Amino acid sequence: MTHPGEITRRQLLRRIGIAALAAGPGAGLLSACATAGTGGEPSAAPSAAASTSLQNPFGVDAKKPLEVIIFSGGYGDAYAKELHEELYKKKFPGVSVKHGGTQQIGTQLRPRFVGNDAPDVFNNSGPESMDLAALAAESQLADLAPLFDAPSIDDPAKKVRDTVTPAVLDNAKINGRDLVLNYTVSHRALWYNAKLFESMKWAVPTTWAEFTALGETAKKEGILLFAYPGQKGPYYQLWNVLYTAAKIGGNQVIIDIDNLVDNAWNAAPMKQAVAAWADIQAKYGDKAYFGLDHTQTQIKQLQNKLLFYPVGSWVENEMAKDKPMDFEYAIAPIPDVTAADKMPYGAIQVGVGENFVVAARGKNPQGGLEYLRIMLSKEGARGFTQKTKNLTVVYGAAEGLDLPTGLTSAAKAQDAAGQNIITDARFEGWYKELFDYGTEQINVVMAGRITPDQFCANMQKKADAVKKDDSVAKQTRSQ
């Protein structure tokens, strides 16, 4: 078990909010649905609507309304409605802020972009999130470089870019332009109930042999070793397979996939990872979970019907209202799959996520930039952590806060990982068609309807098609 007092809050902030992110920047959460449009380059920064100043660097018209749309998922949307929007209204007294919370970002916003009626700011996340690369190609996203170069609200002598972890800047770019703000720090690994393990005197497995042995033991207790949601969440397992491949073969496995390198999906570590998890599903899983969504699956875990669940650190807040007293979220790194894994046991994924963008053709893009600047203030970031129990990318914003046990567990795991940080797969935001295809195929292979080799071959065929498609803007990364 882990307890908040085992490490200091200062250590927690340093380990999660700063140190490891600089070593292993991640990408944002999901992208999705493409829109219609005329094409072109990403739009330039919005022109000032009023005179600029140190306090109003974007020239926001204080009387112009602002519209904000938030993905109401694991973090909810109260942090926006009750905190960030209120801070915006405090700065511009009397201004009207229209708030919208939804889990259907694509369904709601796609027709609005087509009709040139985009909201000023939107939080692009969840299974229906928008394809940001497509929006960028259609000149729909405002340039965020002025935001990063603007004076910080807390210290005008500093630029905003100097107050956030470098991973934010690394992951802001599409086609070389700063177009996306990733706001949160997340840890994606295997999550479990530390209290159950303590009561059963079970050790967290460090090798695949120990993992499968625990599966046999748990089976006798009527508990599944592992499950993931087959509806609205199969990408959780796609992430898990990709991170396992990186554990086996190093981060270059994921970098090659992102860069559309020939035969990247057919690399041996990728095949080993898919085979390992397909075997776990066949022996210790339950196909009935393919019909459950993420919330239903997470309820099953809270009922101790499954041990390990592949998800990110937002799960603790997402399930806070349902979590019983005898359940304590804790994080487990992926066990060693082979004796020759390139990354040692304890390697863990740490990244930035939760995309926020400003619509270039919105009615108030200047206000959108200011809204993001308010989010990146210490007051805005600290309040987000208080409401969601998750950290942001802003240095020092969580100092002194009481943080939940799951987040403390993640901090300890990250500390143990040191430089062994597994990178995010960025193709999920770069090539929507490829990632969506992967979320379909992962269910197929995990259900045993195709072999792991067939899964990799299918993914490679789709990646090759994307690579040959001149209408798809190509992105590259070096690390």
Side-chain angles (χ1 to χ4, degrees), residues 9 97 208 245 306 321 331 369 407:
R9 297 186 184 96
V97 177
W208 214 254
L306 65 101
K321 293 180 180 178
I331 197 170
L369 292 176
L407 193 56

Side-chain angles (χ1 to χ4, degrees), residues 38-99:
T38 58
E41 293 300 316
S43 295
S47 300
S51 59
T52 62
S53 66
L54 198 63
Q55 291 73 35
N56 188 9
F58 312 119
V60 178
D61 182 342
K63 298 180 181 180
K64 185 175 287 189
L66 182 77
E67 183 178 8
V68 180
I69 301 294
I70 300 295
F71 173 68
S72 184
Y75 300 124
D77 64 346
Y79 69 86
K81 190 173 183 179
E82 300 172 5
L83 173 66
H84 296 149
E85 292 167 19
E86 289 301 314
L87 290 174
Y88 187 88
K89 288 189 282 189
K90 181 179 179 181
K91 179 161 188 176
F92 303 109
V95 72
S96 172
V97 177
K98 183 179 180 181
H99 172 89

